[in-house]
Amino acid sequence: MTQLILRDLVKRYGDTEVLHAINLSVDQGEFVVLVGPSGCGKSTTLRMIAGLEEISSGIIEIGGRVVNNLEPKDRNIAMVFQNYAIYPHMTVRRNIGFGLKTSKLSKPEKDARIDEVAGILGMTEYLERKPAQLSGGQRQRVAIGRAMVRDPAVFLFDEPLSNLDAQLRTQMRLEIKKLHTRVGKMMIFVTHDQVEAMTLADRIVIMKDGHIQQIGTPAQVYHEPANTFVAQFIGAPQMNLLDATGTGTGVRLWNGAEIAVPGITLAPGRKLRFGIRPEDLTSGAEGLLSGTVTVAEPLGAETLIYVDVGGVEVTATAPGRTPPRAGDKIGLSLSGEAAHLFDADSGLSLRAGGA
Amino acid sequence: MAVDPSAHDTTKAPNAPRWGLYGRLSVGQKRTIWAWTFLAVPILFYVIIRFYPTGNAMVLSFQDWNLLGARTWTGLDNYTRLFSDPVFWQVFRNTFAYLLLGTPISLVISFVIAYHLDQVRFMHGTIRALYFVPFMTSAVAMAWVWRWFYQDVPIGLFNNLLATVGIPQVRFLNSTTNALPSILAPAIWAGLGFQIIIFMAGLRAIPRTFYEAAKIDGVSTWTVLWEITLPLLRPTIVFIVVLSSIGFLRIFDHVFNMTSANPGGPLNSTKPLVLMIYQSAFSSFDMGYAAAQTVVLFVVLLIVSLIQLRLLKDR
C-alpha cells in the first residue's frame, strides 16, 4: 500500500534549476539507493521527500497522499543524518525517545518501545550513556534507533556511513541491510559510494547534474549500463572506453584491430565508444591489443594492470601469483560478447535499443 | 671565534651543531627557552603592576594610612569599622541590586535579540552593527546623554515625552527608589551589543541538522528552544553570566557620571562598592579603610564567580 511516487519533481534556487523533472516510483519494502557524484541532486531529492526543502514544482506522494504541503512530521517518514544529529546533552534513552515526543503513547508504552528498539540495535546496555561515551558506530545506531522508534512508513538515509572509517562502514552497511530485511520498511538511501549502492540496493537510481541517468537493479546497471556515465560510474576499476568505428558485423578499434560483436549490426564507418570492463580483458603473451605495462597494483586476489596500448591507457586485471610487472610487454585478448557499445556523440548504449 | 676544522669535514652531517651551548640544546629545550623569553615581559609586568599592589592592599587593610604619613598597624579596626558602618551595608545592598537585576535582565534581553536576529537575513549586518555601537561608546559620554534623557521638563527627553501624553513627571535620578534602576538601564544597554555577538556565535555553532532532526520528529518550537538550543548554549551562557556579573559588581563610571553632583546619591541610594572605595581613598584619604573595602569586594567577586562556575558548568 505504502508507495512513494515522485512526479516531475523540480528544484530551483532562484533562476538555477538543480533538479530537472525527476520521476521515480518506489514500492513498499523496497530498498532504493540514490547514487551519483556530489552536486548531482541526490541529497536535495531526499530532503524534498523529507520535507526539509521546498518543492519548486512537481508532486511527491507517500501512500497515495500528496505530501507537498505537509510538515515533515505529518509525512510518516524518519531520517538518519550524515552527522547523526544526536543530542550531546541527552542520554541514549532520551535521544531515541526524542522521536516519540509528540506521540500519543503513554510513558510505559514509550519506554517499552525504546527498549525494544534498543534491543534490536544491541544498544540496551548503553541506554543511560551520553553520546560522548559512545563510538562512531554506536552513535550511528542511536540515530537509526531514533528513526525506528517512530515506526515510519519510509526511512530516509542521507549518507549515513560517510563519517565512519572503512572497516566500520562495511560492518554498518551489513547491519543496515539486515535491519531492512527485519523491519521490511521502504528505505531510501543516499550515497556517493557505488559499492554501497551495489551492495545495499534492490534498485539503484544513478543521478548526474539533476537528471536520472538510469534506474535498475544492481545487476542491470552493471551489465547493461544505459550510457557511458553509468558505465564508468558503476564498477571498480572503471570500464575502459575506447574509440571505434562500425564495420557491419563488428567494430574496428582506434588502432585498427577488428572484433566481431554478435547480435548487433553497425553501419560501416559509424563512430562509436567501445566499452570493455577490465575483468573481461585476458592478459597473455599475445592478444588483440598489445602494449607495455606502465603500473601494476597488486590487490591480493588479482592484480590491476595499466597497459599503454599505442598511447591509450587500458586497464585490465590479471589473476594468479605471477602477474605481469611494470615494463613487461603483454597482449590483451577479449571477446566481442563482453563488449558494451555506445554512440560516440550521445553516449547512449546501442544494446538497450538505444541505436 | 675559533673555527672548528671538523665543520668543513664533508663526512659529517651538514647541520651538525657548531654554535656552542645553544646549538647543543634539543628542539624541545630551545622552544622552552623562547617561550619563557616571550612570557618574561608580561609576567614581570603583572607581578609589579598587579600582584604586588594586590598583596600590598591586603596588608594595608590592617593599617592606617593617609597617603603621606606613616603606615601604622591597627589590626582588624578597619574591618570592624566597616561592618558596623550603615553606609557600607547600604552600599553592599546596592551592589547586589546591580548584580541581581542587571545580569538576568541583560542575559534575557540579549538572548531574545540574538535568537531573533539569527533568523533575520534582511539587513542582518546593519542591525547587528546598530546593537554593537553602544558597546564601543565611552561610558562617560553615554552616562551624560542618559542623564539628559532623565532631566525634568523642559530639558529631559523622557519627561517631555511623558508630558506630551499627559503623564505626570517621573523623578528618575532624584528619587531614592528610581535612581538605581535609572542608572542600571544604560549600563545594561551598554553591554548588550557584546552579549548579542557572543550569543549569536554560540547559536551559529549549533549544527543545523539538530534542528532538522527535531523538525522531522515534529516537536514544537518551544521544545526545541528548551531542550536543544538552551542546553547546547550552556557554555556561552556561563561565559556571559560570569563576565556580566563581574561587570555589574564593579559598576562605577555610569553611577559616578550620572550622579556627579552628589556621587552615589541621592542619600547613597545608588552608591556601589567601587564608588565607596573611591571616596574613602581619594576624598577622605583613608587608605586603610579603602583597602579593607577593596578586600571585601575581591572576596565577593571571587565567591560569586566560583558559585556561578560551579552551578552552571555542572557536567
Side-chain angles (χ1 to χ4, degrees):
Chain A
M1 151 82 210
T2 309
Q3 211 190 8
L4 172 74
I5 297 172
L6 311 183
R7 201 170 291 143
D8 293 325
L9 198 63
V10 171
K11 178 69 188 176
R12 277 183 224 99
Y13 292 107
D15 292 337
T16 330
E17 194 170 296
V18 294
L19 217 55
H20 320 280
I22 296 293
N23 283 292
L24 179 68
S25 158
V26 186
D27 284 329
Q28 183 176 12
E30 212 181 353
F31 199 127
V32 167
V33 176
L34 305 182
V35 67
S38 54
C40 72
K42 55 190 191 297
S43 277
T44 310
T45 309
L46 193 79
R47 291 170 59 84
M48 283 162 88
I49 299 171
L52 296 172
E53 289 290 342
E54 252 176 64
I55 297 164
S56 303
S57 78
I59 285 171
I60 295 179
E61 250 182 69
I62 297 173
R65 191 167 57 131
V66 175
V67 298
N68 280 33
N69 293 320
L70 291 184
E71 287 290 320
K73 67 177 162 102
D74 301 321
R75 294 187 179 200
N76 205 6
I77 48 123
M79 187 157 168
V80 178
F81 293 87
Q82 181 177 351
N83 67 357
Y84 323 136
I86 53 175
Y87 305 119
H89 57 287
M90 298 183 192
T91 59
V92 170
R93 176 178 289 281
R94 277 190 67 202
N95 261 296
I96 294 180
F98 207 78
L100 289 176
K101 202 112 213 163
T102 52
S103 134
K104 290 180 184 68
L105 296 176
S106 68
K107 178 91 173 63
E109 282 173 316
K110 285 182 181 177
D111 280 340
R113 189 103 194 85
I114 295 169
D115 288 332
E116 186 196 338
V117 166
I120 294 173
L121 294 169
M123 293 292 292
T124 308
E125 56 193 298
Y126 302 105
L127 275 175
E128 302 313 321
R129 292 214 193 163
K130 292 270 181 79
Q133 298 161 292
L134 301 177
S135 69
Q138 289 168 335
R139 284 180 210 181
Q140 187 56 273
R141 262 178 230 156
V142 175
I144 295 173
R146 197 171 62 188
M148 281 174 65
V149 83
R150 304 185 61 215
D151 195 25
V154 184
F155 282 88
L156 305 172
F157 292 89
D158 189 7
E159 306 216 20
L161 306 181
S162 302
N163 284 6
L164 302 176
D165 63 55
Q167 208 176 352
L168 203 52
R169 198 181 308 160
T170 318
Q171 193 190 327
M172 284 305 291
R173 194 172 75 198
L174 188 65
E175 286 189 25
I176 289 179
K177 189 149 187 172
K178 282 182 184 160
L179 187 73
H180 177 244
T181 321
R182 179 163 183 165
V183 301
K185 291 290 171 64
M186 183 196 300
M187 294 189 177
I188 314 282
F189 189 105
V190 160
T191 179
H192 58 263
D193 180 354
Q194 58 99 13
V195 177
E196 251 167 49
M198 294 289 281
T199 48
L200 283 171
D202 292 326
R203 272 197 306 156
I204 297 181
V205 177
I206 298 151
M207 297 181 68
K208 183 197 168 202
D209 300 335
H211 290 284
I212 291 182
Q213 302 291 310
Q214 188 173 4
I215 304 175
T217 64
Q220 276 169 349
V221 297
Y222 186 80
H223 294 295
E224 298 156 32
N227 56 38
T228 50
F229 174 78
V230 175
Q232 292 210 301
F233 191 79
I234 299 291
Q238 270 191 3
M239 181 191 280
N240 295 296
L241 282 178
L242 308 168
D243 287 328
T245 47
T247 59
T249 57
V251 296
R252 180 183 295 113
L253 293 183
W254 87 103
N255 64 353
E258 288 197 21
I259 306 156
V261 181
I264 197 161
T265 322
L266 299 159
R270 176 169 182 181
K271 287 199 185 308
L272 304 167
R273 299 281 278 163
F274 179 89
I276 185 91
R277 294 209 181 267
E279 57 268 32
D280 292 328
L281 286 168
T282 319
S283 63
E286 298 277 302
L288 195 66
L289 303 171
S290 56
T292 315
V293 178
T294 53
V295 178
E297 293 178 341
L299 298 174
E302 56 182 20
T303 299
L304 212 54
I305 51 176
Y306 297 87
V307 185
D308 179 14
V309 182
V312 174
E313 186 168 82
V314 177
T315 318
T317 56
R321 293 174 183 276
T322 52
R325 294 192 212 164
D328 287 359
K329 290 211 184 311
I330 60 162
L332 298 169
S333 43
L334 59 103
S335 133
E337 280 164 27
H340 301 268
L341 295 172
F342 305 96
D343 185 82
D345 298 322
S346 66
L348 293 177
S349 171
L350 301 180
R351 290 269 198 196
Chain B
M1 192 173 75
V3 176
D4 181 358
S6 70
H8 299 286
D9 187 347
T10 47
T11 59
K12 290 218 166 181
N15 53 358
R18 43 184 162 165
W19 302 324
L21 187 62
Y22 181 75
R24 277 195 287 277
L25 294 175
S26 75
V27 174
Q29 287 166 327
K30 284 179 189 164
R31 270 195 202 144
T32 314
I33 287 176
W34 279 106
W36 281 107
T37 309
F38 281 106
L39 281 176
V41 177
I43 286 175
L44 215 63
F45 182 81
Y46 265 81
V47 167
I48 295 168
I49 300 295
R50 285 275 163 93
F51 300 147
Y52 166 71
T54 306
N56 206 348
M58 287 183 183
V59 174
L60 189 55
S61 71
F62 299 103
Q63 294 173 328
D64 193 21
W65 188 39
N66 65 2
L67 267 183
L68 298 172
R71 290 164 70 154
T72 50
W73 282 94
T74 56
L76 287 171
D77 278 7
N78 284 327
Y79 290 98
T80 37
R81 181 178 154 205
L82 186 64
F83 293 129
S84 56
D85 184 349
V87 175
F88 169 74
W89 290 111
Q90 170 72 41
V91 163
F92 202 75
R93 270 195 302 276
N94 291 343
T95 307
F96 273 88
Y98 284 119
L99 170 74
L100 296 176
L101 290 174
T103 303
I105 292 175
S106 68
L107 193 75
V108 170
I109 296 178
S110 60
F111 176 74
V112 169
I113 293 174
Y115 183 75
H116 288 102
L117 196 53
D118 190 44
Q119 290 159 1
V120 171
R121 290 284 150 269
F122 177 72
M123 302 245 291
H124 180 91
T126 316
I127 299 173
R128 203 167 48 165
L130 282 178
Y131 280 114
F132 199 66
V133 167
F135 183 71
M136 302 189 295
T137 312
S138 137
V140 179
M142 202 189 304
W144 280 86
V145 170
W146 278 75
R147 193 176 177 175
W148 161 60
F149 286 169
Y150 285 142
Q151 294 306 304
D152 293 337
V153 176
I155 303 167
L157 178 78
F158 292 154
N159 274 326
N160 273 332
L161 288 174
L162 291 179
T164 48
V165 290
I167 295 174
Q169 297 286 286
V170 176
R171 315 207 64 183
F172 289 106
L173 294 173
N174 300 331
S175 136
T176 49
T177 46
N178 292 345
L180 191 142
S182 301
I183 290 173
L184 190 57
I188 290 174
W189 182 61
L192 229 46
F194 179 72
Q195 299 189 2
I196 290 170
I197 300 284
I198 300 293
F199 261 131
M200 289 200 31
L203 285 169
R204 288 283 162 90
I206 299 175
R208 253 188 42 182
T209 44
F210 282 6
Y211 296 117
E212 291 183 339
K215 205 172 165 190
I216 286 180
D217 290 340
V219 295
S220 65
T221 318
W222 200 241
T223 312
V224 171
L225 179 65
W226 280 104
E227 301 211 8
I228 299 173
T229 311
L230 287 177
L232 289 173
L233 273 182
R234 196 188 189 105
T236 311
I237 296 172
V238 173
F239 178 73
I240 292 181
V241 165
V242 170
L243 222 65
S244 86
S245 298
I246 293 173
F248 284 117
L249 282 174
R250 294 188 321 182
I251 191 168
F252 172 78
D253 32 15
H254 285 94
V255 188
F256 187 74
N257 283 290
M258 291 178 74
T259 61
S260 60
N262 171 19
L267 294 173
N268 294 324
S269 65
T270 63
K271 190 183 285 181
L273 203 44
V274 182
L275 184 51
M276 188 183 181
I277 294 168
Y278 173 82
Q279 287 176 330
S280 304
F282 303 111
S283 302
S284 317
F285 298 105
D286 202 343
M287 302 311 280
Y289 194 37
Q293 293 161 14
T294 311
V295 170
V296 169
L297 177 64
F298 175 77
V299 172
V300 168
L301 277 169
L302 194 69
I303 292 172
V304 168
S305 302
L306 287 179
I307 290 174
Q308 286 173 344
L309 282 174
R310 176 59 58 86
L311 281 181
L312 292 163
K313 229 168 194 161
D314 180 40
R315 277 184 302 159

